[in-house]
Amino acid sequence: MTTPNLLVLVCILYVTFLFAVAFAADRAALKGRGTWLRSPLIYTLSLSIYCTAWTFYGAVGYAARSGLEFVTIYLGPTLVMIGWWWTLRKMVRIGRSQRITSIADMISSRYGKSNTLAVFVTLIAVVGTTPYIALQLQSVTLSFAAFSKVDPTLTSVVRLRSTGLYVAIGLAVFTILFGTRNVDANERHHGVVMAIALEAVVKLFALLAVGVFVVWGLGDGISNTLDVIDASKIAEWDVPGGRWAGLTMLSAAAFICLPRIFQVMVVENEDEGHLRTATWAFPVYLMLMSLFVIPIAAVGLKLMPSDANPDLFVLTLPLLAGEDSLAILSFLGGFSSATSMVIVAAIALSTMVSNHIVMPIWLRMRGGTAMVAGDVRDVALLARRLSIAGVVMLGYLYFRLSGAGTALAAIGLVSFVGLSQFLPALMGGLFWRGATRMGALAGLSVGFLLWLYCLFLPSFGPGVLLPVSVIEHGLLGQSWLRPQALFGAQGMDKVVHAVMWSMLLNCAAFLLVSLLTFPKPVERLQGAQFVNVFDHSSRPGSWTGGLAQSEDLLIMTQRIMGATEAQALFSGMARKQGLTGYLPEPSTEFLGVLERELSGSVGAATAHAMISQIVGRATVSVEDLLAVADEAAQIMEYSSRLEAKSAEQARTARQLREANDKLTKLSVQKDSFLSQVSHELRTPMTSIRAFSEILRDAGGLNPEEQQKYSSIIYDESRRLTRLLDDLLDLSVLESGQVTLNMQLGLLSDMLDRAVAATGGTVDGFRIERDLPSEQIVLNTDVDRLSQVFINLIANAHKYCDADQPVLRIEVRSAGDKLEIDFADNGTGIQMADQTVIFEKFARIGVSRAAGAGLGLAICREIMARLGGEISYVPGQSGAAFRVTLPQEMCMAAH
Amino acid sequence: MTEEPQDEIPGEVTRAVFYERRTYRRRRMVDATRLLPILGVVLFLIPLLWQGEEGARTTDVMIYIFGIWALLAGLSGLVSRDLGRDRSGSDSEAGADVDALETPGGEGR
């Protein structure tokens, strides 16, 4: 007869064997020999930690209670696995490219390496995994009890508890020995993976052996066994549709979110290609594990007493038949299932706890630098060991509290629902760039709280953690707040109920808050890296140069990775950069590599924080973004400057064009003037010559004729003189050599003189003046100003083409100027000519009245000398000229 | 003599409209991989239709479920083996091609 002592011995031997295998595998991996260690088969087998004691013992119990429903727990992962191209492939790729260490690391990395989020995910993972670990403890404890012939349903609670405690302590020690031999979680645990793979084989083999024994040993072949099933109470196919679909979905979600699955699938992954094998091999494994569950349950129901715990049929059926060795094999299978789960789950959780909770706190207590004192490695290892012990003990606590009487599957489902709360944040992070940190936090908290309230707390039974009144009448007596009939959803299965509300509101909160909040720069960067991981797998966010001290980095890295590894890494990088020695340039590439290496040991958030402490800059700091924005602004400014410049050039070009037009026009005018001048000069010269010849040659001229001819000669020479005087005058004025003869004079006097000089109001020419306004004393060159007035009046005389020509002279003061307008009632000057009338030689309407075209040019020069100006005023009834004088020249006349 | 520059817009990725036979097949295999889980969901839900007055027996459903299970695993094995063979055949090219094809669109693309 098998005694508990023998079982303990078997367990110890088995564990020692596992340890030896793990050790050998580690050694082989170290020497680079065990290529077979990295085969896709090992990977697939390691995934089988999905099948825990829940599967090994609980599935049969589940089937004995609810028939085929148990299979949903394996259909979900099967669907996820064959749909690897959708999600798993991306997760594995991201895990490898970002050196992800845990699911908390994954989520926190995605949302801007936020440690708050990592802490939150870690807490949920710890709380969510606790029932699962309790389940393992319970199953191992029960299996011990089954052997000790104590009726499992009536076990003395004291015995169970003490066994549970021993099992918990044993598992914790075992896991610490196994899982924390090296600190880099990303430096794959070859030994652990190998041991898990071996355990996977053991549990599959054990379950198949029991199945074969039950079908062919106890049930007399397949057809007879099918008859037994048909005759049992689970013969009817009556699984509720909601539970069938809901649990399949739930198990699929849990498969993606479970920390331990994440650990073996993503963190321990050696090669993405392994996933391709696992995509069919893992469903086959699951199928084989489930194959004999229904037959074992049916035969157990038939053969075992009605009060036997169906969770233990796998063990009690061989015992009943007296097959002790098969029973021990079966026990080992169950033990394997439980230990592998606890080991990997504890490793995964301890990594999270130490990376995201202990290390940040420790670093902060250390004054924010990683290099002052102490060995980070030791701290990390210690943190991990303590977390493992803590996690396992939490499981034990749950086991104690929940009373160890619940069906295994029910406990497992509680855990599944809790961990599935990661799904929206995880999937949203992988596929939606709009997902934000706040959204993830909101979704996770809503889902977590609902799970606690609807499923976790009630799972201890009424009155343990949640008062009976709350369960029956709702929180604060509000019946719509009843934990198992939230919002009036009565009559639902409580698991489906919890899944529905928690996932629904989790997703809603996640989406809504994501839509409403704005992500930080690092978050957006990481979002792009995750969502588009296949576009740029190789490079995570880069460090922006900076003057990091390579030596400081080396010191820090040695503390974390160990001296040899750190020096190897640094000198390798230095060689790559073409340098000798141990200190590479702190280039962007090097810092990126270093961060990824460190994140393998301490998690992305911590590694990032440590490097930024030394380098002094975060991946994308606000300064960087500002610099980028600044650059953009500079570019914009430059382009706007270019634009301004080109506008200016256009303006200049326009001015040049105008000037050119003017020049061309003037040149034409000058040509015409020259011909005019030569004509003007020639006409008097011709008459002078002709008449002087007559006077010289023709004798016998009477005195009258002589008088007449010589006066013609005289007049013509005067005309010539005047013309030459004008030219001389203008040239003197232009060269600035003129001397002004300043004196006081009355404006009206000057105008009187000018009117008189031009012949006054003869030939019907009328001049309108306003005498009172002209009573202004001016301090000016009276002669020159009069010359201007004469010129203007003479022009009006000459050019006004009205039938009854009228010249109006108006005097008024405008601000600090005195304006004198000379406006006639003729046709005025055409627009095109207005620009040139003040130029030298400018004459309008070439053929019209005589004149050299110098008058207005002289006027302009005179006015410029006097500090005033003369301009043409367009838009009057005729030609209008305005003479403007500075007011200071004026003195009121009295 | 210098070569005439190609009449190509710089920075614009030119992609063939038709792929060679192997690449084409690989893409269809990827499609199949994506469709498989959908097929699986549908097939696994079918037994729910059998419930009713004279409901099916657990044994029938069990045989059906396990049959489908094996079928899905088999199909998945076939498809993934096809994908794997091509990957080892002409490595990076086809792989990169499918990767590029695979990436879902996001902002900024």
Side-chain angles (χ1 to χ4, degrees), chain A residues 371 547-549 552-553 556 609-617:
Chain A
M371 357 168 318
L547 286 173
Q549 271 95 40
D552 291 346
L553 287 172
M556 179 189 76
M610 288 168 103
I611 293 194
S612 38
Q613 273 161 15
I614 291 177
V615 179
R617 281 226 239 180

Side-chain angles (χ1 to χ4, degrees), chain A residues 425-502:
Chain A
L426 188 61
M427 289 297 115
L430 290 188
F431 293 101
W432 183 36
R433 283 180 62 176
T436 68
R437 190 177 74 98
M438 291 313 291
L441 271 175
L444 282 173
S445 5
V446 168
F448 180 63
L449 287 177
L450 279 170
W451 169 71
L452 277 184
Y453 185 63
C454 295
L455 204 61
F456 184 77
L457 295 179
S459 75
F460 293 97
V464 179
L465 288 183
L466 264 191
V468 184
S469 64
V470 170
I471 292 181
E472 282 177 3
H473 306 295
L475 199 65
L476 308 171
Q478 301 290 313
S479 68
W480 59 276
L481 282 179
R482 271 173 294 166
Q484 288 168 351
L486 211 56
F487 309 118
Q490 293 186 18
M492 280 181 83
D493 176 76
K494 60 185 182 188
V495 174
V496 176
H497 170 267
V499 171
M500 185 186 80
W501 285 125
S502 62

Side-chain angles (χ1 to χ4, degrees), chain A residues 79-355:
Chain A
L79 291 173
V80 171
M81 210 63 218
I82 60 173
W84 64 296
W85 200 274
W86 290 104
T87 51
L88 300 185
R89 181 166 160 269
K90 200 168 192 177
M91 272 168 69
V92 169
R93 174 69 69 90
I94 291 171
R96 292 170 61 80
S97 69
Q98 303 270 328
R99 303 256 313 177
I100 298 296
T101 57
S102 65
I103 188 161
D105 199 21
M106 178 95 138
I107 293 179
S108 96
S109 285
R110 161 62 181 85
Y111 297 105
K113 312 196 178 183
S114 145
N115 208 43
T116 321
L117 200 53
V119 169
F120 202 68
V121 173
T122 304
L123 289 179
I124 297 179
V126 169
V127 177
T129 310
T130 301
Y132 221 124
I133 292 177
L135 187 157
Q136 314 304 321
L137 295 178
Q138 181 173 336
S139 67
V140 175
T141 314
L142 286 177
S143 62
F144 266 110
F147 271 99
S148 54
K149 288 290 177 196
V150 182
D151 190 345
T153 52
L154 299 172
T155 25
S156 91
V157 176
V158 181
R159 278 288 306 267
L160 261 187
R161 281 181 180 177
S162 59
T163 317
L165 186 61
Y166 293 142
V167 171
I169 292 173
L171 280 176
V173 170
F174 186 50
T175 309
I176 288 170
L177 286 177
F178 251 107
T180 58
R181 288 192 297 138
N182 44 28
V183 72
D184 190 348
N186 217 333
E187 190 182 283
R188 288 157 184 94
H189 300 83
H190 295 289
V192 175
V193 171
M194 195 59 218
I196 289 164
L198 185 73
E199 290 193 297
V201 175
V202 171
K203 64 194 179 197
L204 180 62
F205 180 71
L207 199 59
L208 287 179
V210 173
V212 167
F213 167 72
V214 166
V215 171
W216 281 278
L218 298 174
D220 288 333
I222 296 173
S223 58
N224 285 341
T225 311
L226 288 181
D227 289 343
V228 172
I229 298 170
D230 282 340
S232 71
K233 65 171 187 178
I234 55 170
E236 196 87 351
W237 160 245
D238 56 358
V239 179
R243 257 181 98 82
W244 181 260
L247 291 182
T248 306
M249 204 191 78
L250 174 65
S251 64
F255 184 70
I256 297 173
C257 297
L258 283 174
R260 65 172 195 279
I261 302 283
F262 191 91
Q263 175 81 24
V264 287
M265 186 158 62
V266 178
V267 181
E268 305 279 352
N269 177 278
E270 290 277 357
D271 179 353
E272 275 172 46
H274 290 174
L275 208 51
R276 223 174 41 241
T277 305
T279 184
W280 61 268
F282 186 63
V284 168
Y285 186 93
L286 289 178
M287 189 189 74
L288 291 176
M289 284 298 275
S290 322
L291 194 56
F292 290 107
V293 169
I294 289 276
I296 295 172
V299 171
L301 283 173
K302 182 184 164 198
L303 297 181
M304 298 298 287
S306 60
D307 57 352
N309 184 352
D311 278 337
L312 289 175
F313 282 171
V314 179
L315 205 55
T316 46
L317 274 178
L319 280 176
L320 187 78
E323 296 283 346
D324 274 14
S325 49
L326 185 62
I328 289 182
L329 180 64
S330 167
F331 171 80
L332 272 185
F335 186 72
S336 296
S337 314
T339 49
S340 56
M341 183 270 159
V342 174
I343 290 170
V344 180
I347 288 175
L349 289 179
S350 71
T351 307
M352 290 191 217
V353 171
S354 87
N355 282 357

Side-chain angles (χ1 to χ4, degrees), chain A residues 505-528:
Chain A
L505 296 178
N506 180 340
C507 287
F510 169 65
L511 294 174
L512 190 71
V513 176
S514 286
L515 289 176
L516 293 180
T517 51
F518 196 80
K520 287 191 294 188
V522 188
E523 226 177 304
R524 299 179 73 182
L525 193 80
Q526 288 293 97

Side-chain angles (χ1 to χ4, degrees), chain B residues 28-102:
Chain B
R28 297 296 80 78
M29 283 303 113
V30 170
D31 291 345
T33 316
R34 287 175 162 165
L35 289 174
L36 258 185
I38 298 167
L39 176 73
V41 169
V42 172
L43 289 177
F44 283 140
L45 286 179
I46 279 178
L48 290 179
L49 302 173
W50 302 341
Q51 293 176 348
E53 289 293 307
E54 40 183 274
R57 289 173 310 163
T58 294
T59 43
D60 298 338
V61 179
M62 188 178 84
I63 290 165
Y64 170 80
I65 292 284
F66 280 87
I68 295 298
W69 211 331
L71 178 77
L72 285 176
L75 283 177
S76 183
L78 279 179
V79 171
S80 66
R81 201 193 52 182
D82 237 36
L83 278 174
R85 194 196 297 138
D86 261 16
R87 180 157 292 198
S88 55
S90 81
D91 210 22
S92 51
E93 208 177 318
D97 179 31
V98 173
D99 285 350
L101 175 83
E102 201 275 342

